[in-house]
Each structure stands twice: as structure tokens, then as C-alpha cells.
Amino acid sequence: MKEVKPQSFVRWFDRQFDSNTSSEYFDEFLKRLEHFPTVLKKLLKSCPAEVSTRKMGGKWSVNENIGHLILLEDLWRIRFRDIKEGKPDMSPADLNNTATDQSSFNNMPVEELIKHLVSEREKTIAMLRKLSGEELLKTSMHPRLQQPMNIIDLMHFVAEHDLHHVYAIQSIMKH
């Protein structure tokens, strides 16, 4: 994966996604998901605590962005299972991100948070590797987007969510 360059910031809830992506994209999205913790490690290799815990304009700090990503790994696995099991609707997310706001991620070293994210992402990758070609193309309705998504679509969604938070983290680190 090449170096991530900041782009104009688009609110996550304003993003739209295509659906019914073919299974030929599985390997590409799997690589993006697998490589993401490495991208974060590289980006934050020399990020001092006073930067990683800095909040600007009521937005999350670097640590809180990473904590948010850690918390969401379980939701991603639940949603992948929902699709695999043929559930009509994917499990909903807490769109208020209450768990992120109530956690104490700024009391943890950024390296510890990244280790935890690596561990959680490894569980997600292991789960995805076990899916059959048939399971990859089953669909469930995404609760916020109100569109059916297959496993590949959701992998794309997660990879783009990762990237969205890289941009947010880069923005914090620039100031």
C-alpha cells in the first residue's frame, strides 16, 4: 500500500458506497485491511503523547480515533457474520459513538492502542479468510445506508472507514 495522502475531508456519514462488488476484489480489500495497522504504526511512529492526546474543536484525539477503530472491529465481525448467515439486516452501530466518548483512550500510550488494534484486526482477517466464495456474495441490508451489501462491499466500507480516520489523524498531527 502506498503512502496515504490527505484529501479534502468528507464527513463519514455523507459517504456513499456501491454495492454488489464482485469477489475478484476480495484479495485487494483483504490486503488493505491487513496492511492498515502498519500504516498507522508508520504514521504514529514518533508521535509524542502531547500530540496523540490533543483534542481540537471538540473532535477526537489521535488516541480516541484509534480507540474508535478498536471498538468497531467487533461490529465489523458481527456484520460479516450477519451477511454470512443470511440475516436480512446487519446489526446496527451506535451512531453516537458512546463507547468511544466514554472510554479513556487518552490515558493509554498510542503504541498500546495500536497493538490492540493489530490484535483485533487479526481476528477479523482470520474470519474473512475462512469464508467461501458463495458466502462472499450473500447480502444483508446495511442499517444506515439502507442498501444491501455483500462481504466484499463491507470490506470496502471498512477499508474506507480506516482511511477516513487516517485523514482525521493526519489533520490532528499537522496542528
Side-chain angles (χ1 to χ4, degrees):
M1 181 182 226
K2 56 188 175 197
E3 186 179 340
V4 178
K5 302 283 187 210
Q7 298 176 348
S8 60
F9 196 77
V10 177
R11 266 182 32 99
W12 179 249
F13 291 134
D14 293 338
R15 292 286 310 270
Q16 296 295 312
F17 291 87
D18 293 330
S19 56
N20 206 21
T21 307
S22 77
S23 57
E24 70 188 61
Y25 292 97
F26 177 80
D27 290 337
E28 176 186 334
F29 290 132
L30 189 70
K31 282 180 188 156
R32 282 181 66 186
L33 295 175
E34 274 183 307
H35 192 63
F36 177 67
T38 304
V39 169
L40 266 187
K41 276 184 202 175
K42 185 177 176 184
L43 179 63
L44 299 170
K45 186 169 60 177
S46 58
C47 182
E50 60 270 10
V51 174
S52 73
T53 58
R54 178 175 50 208
K55 292 176 75 90
M56 296 179 345
K59 304 271 186 201
W60 290 334
S61 66
V62 168
N63 283 19
E64 289 166 328
N65 273 275
I66 299 167
H68 170 73
L69 294 168
I70 292 165
L71 293 172
L72 283 181
E73 280 301 307
D74 191 47
L75 175 66
W76 303 145
R77 289 190 297 271
I78 290 167
R79 286 183 172 177
F80 287 128
R81 263 191 304 277
D82 290 345
I83 297 169
K84 175 187 170 190
E85 294 168 5
K87 292 186 178 176
D89 299 303
M90 289 182 220
S91 298
D94 170 12
L95 299 181
N96 293 319
N97 293 302
T98 308
T100 302
D101 291 332
Q102 292 179 348
S103 296
S104 300
F105 295 120
N106 283 333
N107 294 332
M108 302 170 77
V110 72
E111 300 81 15
E112 186 179 324
L113 290 166
I114 291 173
K115 275 187 205 172
H116 194 65
L117 178 61
V118 167
S119 172
E120 289 300 310
R121 182 56 60 94
E122 284 173 351
K123 293 176 196 173
T124 304
I125 298 300
M127 175 189 197
L128 290 168
R129 288 187 185 283
K130 292 178 187 171
L131 297 172
S132 70
E134 180 183 304
E135 290 168 333
L136 293 177
L137 299 178
K138 289 181 176 183
T139 63
S140 291
M141 187 67 69
H142 187 282
R144 179 177 59 82
L145 298 173
Q146 285 301 297
Q147 69 186 47
M149 293 179 107
N150 63 31
I151 297 283
I152 312 299
D153 298 328
L154 186 57
M155 290 171 72
H156 180 216
F157 181 91
V158 173
E160 288 297 310
H161 184 262
D162 288 346
L163 200 53
H164 172 82
H165 285 279
V166 165
Y167 296 149
I169 288 167
Q170 287 175 325
S171 176
I172 295 164
M173 291 176 69
K174 278 194 293 189
H175 292 95

